[in-house]
Amino acid sequence: MAKKPDGKNTSGRGQRDLKVKVKTARGRTNSSTRWLQRQLNDPYVARAQAEGYRGRAAFKIMELDDKIGFLVPGARVVDLGCAPGGWLQVAVPRINALGEGKGPKGTILGVDLQEVDSLTGAEIHVLDFMDEGADDKVKEWLGGKADVVMSDMAASSSGHKQTDHLRIISLCEAAAYFAFDVLEDGGTFVAKVLAGGAEGDLQKLLKQKFTKVMNVKPPSSRSDSSEKFVVATGFRG
Ligand SMILES: C[S@@+](CC[C@H](N)C(=O)[O-])C[C@H]1O[C@@H](n2cnc3c(N)ncnc32)[C@H](O)[C@@H]1O
């Protein structure tokens, strides 16, 4: 029987194929009813549950890596905004962090504002990456260079599109400057952005430091969301 990323067996159950309708309940806002309905009918949510991933975000990094190929055995990876741990679950076997697969053994270090359940093969710390001196702490834990810096950091939605856009861009910029300090030549930077106008400066900044900068919308990223991923490869130091 197939194993889930946390070592449990998969149930073998198929994907949910019946649409679930959610009634508006007293105390529940229209927007949370819409959110609940979308969650219950989302095939990636059902797949994440069936395959043992901690969230549907796991499929985004899987699809990005399948397309670009940066999570290779032996890679040293930093995952910024790693809770609840879906990206970590995908990366651990791909970089051979347990040393049980083929090729060299990789390492992965995750940080988040929130507590994250432990995951064998990953080192996890609770940290606000925007705090003064946070980047130095991560550098100390890392203890050397990294081959991949990836950021899925996002603040909770404010409900105001432009505010959310500007907030995520500042998280991306902080992640990018950190990446400039720690990436090995040839390294990769991956960051989630919400489209909105200010990402031009981020692109310009990345183009000075990387051979190739791409905007990718993986299939699992909701089509009605302005979310996309900036992937920069070939760090030039
Ligand atoms: C979309 S979730 C990440 C999902 C994760 N990639 C996964 O696969 O499970 C975004 C995360 O960014 C974290 N975050 C937001 N701002 C942060 C900050 N300043 N420092 C650290 N983490 C932050 C949030 O706590 C949240 O857990």
Side-chain angles (χ1 to χ4, degrees):
M1 194 183 277
K3 290 274 184 199
K4 290 182 174 185
D6 283 337
K8 296 171 189 144
N9 291 324
T10 61
S11 67
R13 250 182 279 136
Q15 282 184 8
R16 183 186 302 269
D17 50 5
L18 293 174
K19 198 165 163 97
V20 179
K21 246 186 143 191
V22 179
K23 284 188 183 160
T24 356
R26 199 193 306 211
R28 195 190 290 138
T29 61
N30 283 343
S31 77
S32 62
T33 303
R34 276 198 305 274
W35 180 87
L36 192 56
Q37 182 143 337
R38 203 172 57 175
Q39 284 292 105
L40 291 170
N41 292 296
D42 183 331
Y44 286 101
V45 172
R47 226 183 114 189
Q49 276 166 7
E51 294 177 25
Y53 289 107
R54 296 180 184 182
R56 71 189 298 295
F59 298 106
K60 299 177 192 171
I61 201 68
M62 219 182 270
E63 290 163 354
L64 290 170
D65 185 48
D66 287 348
K67 188 177 165 75
I68 296 149
F70 44 89
L71 295 176
V72 294
R76 295 156 296 176
V77 181
V78 179
D79 182 0
L80 302 172
C82 66
W87 284 25
L88 296 172
Q89 287 178 293
V90 172
V92 163
R94 290 188 180 211
I95 63 168
N96 190 25
L98 298 176
E100 292 168 347
K102 281 193 187 140
K105 188 173 180 291
T107 59
I108 184 157
L109 171 70
V111 300
D112 202 286
L113 288 173
Q114 303 176 44
E115 288 278 349
V116 183
D117 285 348
S118 65
L119 180 74
T120 312
E123 178 183 336
I124 303 168
H125 296 268
V126 175
L127 177 82
D128 183 342
F129 191 68
M130 298 308 268
D131 272 355
E132 187 82 37
D135 53 342
D136 288 332
K137 277 193 185 152
V138 184
K139 281 178 206 163
E140 208 181 301
W141 293 326
L142 184 64
K145 292 278 182 189
D147 302 295
V148 180
V149 172
M150 50 193 202
S151 166
D152 198 16
M153 284 189 289
S156 323
S157 170
S158 69
H160 185 259
K161 220 173 163 184
Q162 189 61 6
T163 305
D164 291 343
H165 165 66
L166 293 173
R167 279 188 186 161
I168 207 164
I169 293 294
S170 72
L171 289 167
C172 286
E173 281 175 358
Y177 281 110
F178 169 77
F180 298 161
D181 283 348
V182 301
L183 275 183
E184 192 72 80
D185 282 2
T188 300
F189 175 69
V190 180
K192 175 166 73 184
V193 294
L194 299 174
E199 70 264 34
D201 288 344
L202 177 70
Q203 295 265 344
K204 248 190 240 160
L205 182 69
L206 295 174
K207 280 183 181 161
Q208 289 166 14
K209 299 278 187 180
F210 293 87
T211 318
K212 200 169 174 189
V213 180
M214 296 160 265
N215 282 307
V216 189
K217 176 118 180 136
S220 55
S221 175
R222 291 182 168 121
S223 54
D224 60 353
S225 153
S226 63
E227 169 188 276
K228 60 184 176 179
F229 291 83
V230 177
V231 184
T233 56
F235 182 61
R236 289 198 291 245

